Amino acid sequence: MTKNFAMLPVIVLLTLLTAPIIIMYVYLVLDTFSNTPPGALFPTSFTLEHWRFLVDPSIAGNVWIPTLNSLIFASCCTVIVLTISSTGGYALSRLNMPFRSFFLGGLMVLHAFPAVTLLIGIFLILNFSGLYNTLTGIVLVKAALTLPLGVWIMKGFYDAVPWEIEMAGVQDGASRFTVWRRLVLPQIRPGFVALGAFAFLEGWGEYLLPRVLAPSADFRVLSVFLATLSGPDTANYDFSLFQAVGLFYTLPVLLLFLIFQNRLMNIFNGGTKG
């Protein structure tokens, strides 16, 4: 009882600090389902007019094509990151590789570079390889930029798995691949799932790479589609429509966070052995 009472000031302080953010999001949701006259504090009527873009392409264009592009983009990035990170992290954790420490340090250096500083080089490579203005090109670039952190995270989870589990499988005659797939991989499943959710959210929220490296409308993702709603004249665009599309864009993020929030918060707890 005393402990709960001691936490009361902290809870009150955190509530006061987060109250403006909570109020802002409440008004965001209310505005997408209501009409509020200019200058009014509260909405005056309920409406679904702002969500008609889901069924009427004439309002803002076909939102489902960018949504499908975003889903493909994020899903492909997730598959690539999980496949390479789960195998690369295992190799760095278990195999006696030459220059292993140097390679681990290089991973962190690669992750430290912001994507915007690499855009010119990436553009030249994609243009030379014929992957510029393609969905495949931006998938490969985004996956490559996420891989250093993914490999590092998976290595940390593998470091926490006891060697005895692998040795028992090898002594029973199983191959190294079978031991990894059937014995080791289930042990790091929380990290595997957390990295998958993290990679998907990274791909879903990406704006810069699709906007610059795939400017064609055929490969427009939902983040770029949302940015184009404002148009060149930012004074006369439909702000309620913009809010509704933005809320639609954030729904998968909120859903994934609610499902995987515990694992996402513990993604860096897998270990940091070098």
Side-chain angles (χ1 to χ4, degrees), residues 89-170:
Y90 178 77
L92 288 172
S93 175
R94 292 302 198 240
L95 303 183
N96 188 18
M97 302 172 59
F99 305 106
R100 177 169 167 271
S101 298
F102 177 79
F103 186 78
L104 288 171
L107 285 177
M108 291 295 96
V109 172
L110 289 174
H111 182 66
F113 281 97
V116 67
T117 63
L118 306 173
L119 278 181
I120 296 178
I122 292 173
F123 167 77
L124 293 175
I125 293 174
L126 292 183
N127 196 37
F128 177 78
S129 61
L131 294 176
Y132 175 72
N133 202 20
T134 64
L135 193 58
T136 302
I138 58 175
V139 164
L140 293 177
V141 172
K142 181 60 180 178
L145 293 175
T146 310
L147 272 174
L149 181 63
V151 172
W152 180 272
I153 290 173
M154 293 305 293
K155 176 198 171 294
F157 279 97
Y158 283 123
D159 287 343
V161 178
W163 268 100
E164 290 77 10
I165 295 177
E166 293 182 68
M167 293 300 101
V170 172

Side-chain angles (χ1 to χ4, degrees), residues 62-83:
N62 192 344
V63 71
W64 296 108
I65 294 178
T67 302
L68 179 61
N69 288 338
S70 292
L71 183 61
I72 295 174
F73 174 63
S75 299
C76 290
C77 289
T78 302
V79 171
I80 295 174
V81 169
L82 286 180
T83 302

